[in-house]
Amino acid sequence: MDYSNHRVLIWNTFPTASFTPADLVLGQSDFTHYQANDLDQDDTQDTECSDRTFNYVTGIYLYETLLFVADNNNNRFLIFQAQ
């Protein structure tokens, strides 16, 4: 998890070297955006959260094929199904 950039980074295989780029990002549309709840990705925080944005991720939990994400400042958990 990358809480200060309001996202979760996912690697398909465990990285064996430092600075290995992630394969997938949740919470942002790409790897360059970092603003909380920025659904339109204009680099400013939107007033409402959406089903794909985060505001300060504080925990993750993996259970079978489900990923639970604690979205602290939006006061919620989001659940993602592995593809």
Side-chain angles (χ1 to χ4, degrees), residues 1-11 14-15 22 24-28 31 34 54-62 67-73 76-77 80:
M1 84 190 149
D2 185 7
Y3 60 87
S4 63
N5 288 315
H6 313 287
R7 63 188 184 180
V8 174
L9 300 173
I10 298 174
W11 287 262
F14 193 81
L24 181 67
V25 62
L26 301 176
Q28 302 292 342
F31 293 96
Y34 57 87
F54 301 129
N55 188 350
Y56 199 69
V57 175
T58 55
I60 57 172
Y61 177 72
L62 185 62
L67 175 66
F68 296 80
V69 178
D71 186 16
N72 189 69
N73 289 352
R76 64 184 182 169
F77 285 93
F80 298 88

Side-chain angles (χ1 to χ4, degrees), residues 15-76:
T16 58
S18 298
F19 306 107
T20 301
D23 298 304
L24 181 67
V25 62
L26 301 176
Q28 302 292 342
S29 64
D30 57 35
F31 293 96
T32 61
H33 288 90
Y34 57 87
Q35 196 62 246
N37 292 333
D38 186 14
L39 182 60
D40 56 6
Q41 299 289 258
D42 64 353
D43 295 324
T44 60
Q45 183 173 344
D46 297 333
T47 57
E48 298 291 324
C49 60
S50 77
D51 61 349
R52 67 168 196 82
T53 62
F54 301 129
N55 188 350
Y56 199 69
V57 175
T58 55
I60 57 172
Y61 177 72
L62 185 62
Y63 177 75
E64 295 180 359
T65 62
L66 300 175
L67 175 66
F68 296 80
V69 178
D71 186 16
N72 189 69
N73 289 352
N74 287 325
N75 301 307
R76 64 184 182 169

